[in-house]
Amino acid sequence: EDTFNGRLKNWELGITSLSHLESDAVHHSRRQNHLVEEMENSLLITIPEWNEVSFLQSNRDARCVPGHFLIERGDAPYEFSYGSANSLWVL
């Protein structure tokens, strides 16, 4: 798209963090070469508020509707997307 709107807020909570994202539709790919400096295992818990999200990791395809959550490995390649404006929380 020619334009993209989004807003990201992040709070550090000791050894973890909480993020809130509001944005237009996105498709995000985290590839192996993006993980070169990853030294530790990490998990992400994503909770969509407005619309369904799609998540693909390790040949597993998941869809998550508002009010439910996904648990993702942050230290492994993945693809994440949603087709319309969304709001989501990530711990």
Side-chain angles (χ1 to χ4, degrees):
E1 297 291 324
D2 291 335
T3 61
F4 177 80
N5 292 303
R7 181 175 55 182
L8 176 65
K9 293 181 184 178
N10 188 61
W11 298 268
E12 295 298 323
L13 306 169
I15 63 169
T16 191
S17 66
L18 177 66
S19 299
H20 183 247
L21 173 65
E22 288 183 7
S23 77
D24 292 341
V26 299
H27 182 109
H28 171 71
S29 296
R30 188 162 192 197
R31 309 241 182 254
Q32 189 64 43
N33 62 323
H34 299 141
L35 303 167
V36 173
E37 295 184 22
E38 288 289 328
M39 299 296 183
E40 297 181 10
N41 296 339
S42 63
L43 294 176
L44 304 172
I45 300 170
T46 300
I47 306 165
E49 287 190 296
W50 298 342
N51 291 300
E52 180 181 86
V53 298
S54 296
F55 184 75
L56 175 65
Q57 186 171 55
S58 301
N59 295 320
R60 293 184 179 161
D61 190 2
R63 302 205 182 273
C64 184
V65 297
H68 292 187
F69 64 91
L70 289 167
I71 299 177
E72 314 149 26
R73 284 190 54 204
D75 59 324
Y78 63 80
E79 290 189 37
F80 181 87
S81 63
Y82 43 91
S84 56
N86 213 345
S87 171
L88 50 96
W89 292 91
V90 180
L91 181 66

